[in-house]
Amino acid sequence: MPLYLARRCARPAGRIGTVAGMLLCAVLLSAPTAPGAPAADGGPAWTAAPSGGRGDGRGEGRPYFYLEGAAGTVLQDKVSLANPGSEPRTVRLRGADAYNARGGAFAVREKQSSTGTGAWIALAAGEVRIPPRTRAEVPFSVTVPPGATPGDHPGAVVVTGGGREVGVRIHLRVSGPTLAALTVEDVTVGERGDGAIVRYALVNRGNTALTPRLALGAEGVFGELLRRDARALPVELLPGQRVELTEPWPNVPTLDRAEVRLTVTAPGGAHAEASAATTFVPWTAVAAAGAVLLAAGGAAARLVRRRRRPGRATAGSDADGDAGGDADAGGDAGGDGDADGDPRSCGDPEAAGREETGTERQLARAGVRS
C-alpha cells in the first residue's frame, strides 16, 4: 500500500485574493523557527487521527475508525499523521487490542499481548518520517479471521514518537447476532469524610460495547434518603470487560439503617440491579458516651468498696469475741465436772448403773419394794 504525503499551509481568513494566499503560504513554509519547535500555537509536535478530517487533531473529522464486515473479509482505512512544526518528526505505528482499565478508561495492550483486533491489523509502514508542516496518510487493513465471533472487537492504531503515545480507536464489528447484557456486582457503602461513597463494579456480559446509565436510590427506616435519576456514566464498557466505579453520597443521616439500590441500563435492552445495606452510627458520640459511662462506673465501684471495708472489720471482731466466749464457757463446764466428781456428768454409764443398784439394795433392806 502506498504512503501518501500532503503538504499543507494555513489559509488566511476573510476574502483575500489567490495571489495573497499563495504569498502567505510561501511565507509560512519558509519562515525560520527554533530547532525542534512544536506547532506555532504551542500545540503537540504531531497528531494522529482517522483520515478524512483536517488531520491536525482539531477538526471535526471522525473521532475513531468504524469498520464492519463478516468473518473472513478484509477491511481498509487510513490513519492521518500531521506535523505542524518546523522540524521533521519520526513516529512508529502498530496495531493493538483495546480494553477497559480498572476505572473504565480506554487502554491498549502491548504488541505481544494483542491476540485480537491488534493482531488482525496490517500497516503500510511501521515507521514514518513526517516532513515539517506536512500530513502523512498511512493505509492499513484489518483481516477478520473466518472464525471470528460476531459482535464488537475493539482495537487501536498506536502511534509513538517524541515521548508521546496516541491510540486512534478502531471500532470493529463482525456481522452476526449481538447481545447487550451487563451485571452490577460488589456493591458496598463506606465512609468518606462527612459523607459516604458507594462502590460497585460493572461487567459487560454481552458482545457489544455499552454506554451505561446509572440511577441511584436509598431507603432508610423513616423513608427515602437519596434519589438520583438515571444519567450517562463517563465510560464505554467494552465486551467482556469489568470496571470499578464509585458514586459520592454527601449529607448522609447521622443515625439510620439504609438500603442502597443501583439500577443500570444501556441501549439494546441491557438492564441490571443490585443493592447493599449499611448502618449509619455516630461513632464519635457513642465512643464519648461510652467513656463517660465507664468513668462513672469505675467511680461508683470504688465508692462501694470503700463503704464495705469498715463493716467487714466489725463483723470479724464480733465473731472472734463470740468464739472466745464459747471457749471460756466450755472451760467452765469442764471445771465444774471435775470438781463435782459426778461420773454421770462425764457420761460414764457403768458408774450410773452401779449407783442405781446400791439404792435398790437399801430399799430392799428397809422392806420397800418398787
Side-chain angles (χ1 to χ4, degrees), residues 36 149 171 217 265 308:
T149 58
H171 188 119
T265 59
R308 285 182 178 179

Side-chain angles (χ1 to χ4, degrees), residues 88-327:
R89 301 287 177 182
T90 300
V91 296
R92 294 181 300 277
L93 300 89
R94 66 179 178 89
D97 291 350
Y99 68 99
N100 285 117
R102 184 175 181 180
F106 184 87
V108 296
R109 302 191 186 279
E110 298 296 331
K111 182 177 181 179
Q112 60 272 20
S113 302
S114 296
T115 58
T117 305
W120 305 344
I121 298 173
L123 292 151
E127 184 174 297
V128 177
R129 185 177 185 273
I130 314 170
R133 299 184 180 91
T134 302
R135 178 170 52 87
E137 292 187 347
V138 183
F140 68 91
S141 64
V142 180
T143 302
V144 183
T149 58
D152 294 339
H153 296 263
V157 174
V158 181
V159 185
T160 307
R164 296 177 61 226
E165 184 173 80
V166 175
V168 186
R169 298 182 58 175
I170 296 177
H171 188 119
L172 171 64
R173 171 163 291 188
V174 178
S175 302
T178 59
L179 173 65
L182 57 81
T183 56
V184 185
E185 303 176 358
D186 301 334
V187 181
T188 61
V189 182
E191 296 182 0
R192 186 178 188 180
D194 295 334
I197 183 169
V198 181
R199 295 182 172 87
Y200 62 99
L202 296 181
V203 183
N204 188 336
R205 301 293 182 180
N207 62 354
T208 63
L210 302 176
T211 53
R213 296 174 60 86
L214 169 70
L216 179 64
E219 291 286 338
V221 176
F222 304 104
E224 187 177 75
L225 300 175
L226 178 66
R227 185 182 185 85
R228 292 181 187 169
D229 295 334
R231 65 177 181 84
L233 295 174
V235 61
E236 182 180 11
L237 189 58
L238 304 179
Q241 296 297 303
R242 171 192 172 96
V243 298
E244 297 180 1
L245 305 173
T246 61
E247 283 289 320
W249 183 4
N251 305 320
V252 297
T254 304
L255 179 63
D256 205 342
R257 178 173 176 78
E259 181 178 0
V260 180
R261 179 167 294 277
L262 288 78
T263 303
V264 182
T265 59
H271 181 276
E273 294 184 0
S275 62
T278 185
T279 302
F280 297 102
V281 178
W283 293 113
T284 302
V286 171
V292 171
L293 290 176
L294 287 174
R302 288 193 297 270
L303 181 60
V304 170
R305 286 198 298 268
R306 289 177 181 176
R307 289 183 177 180
R308 285 182 178 179
R309 284 174 185 171
R312 289 179 180 176
T314 304
S317 300
D318 294 343
D320 294 343
D322 294 341
D326 293 342

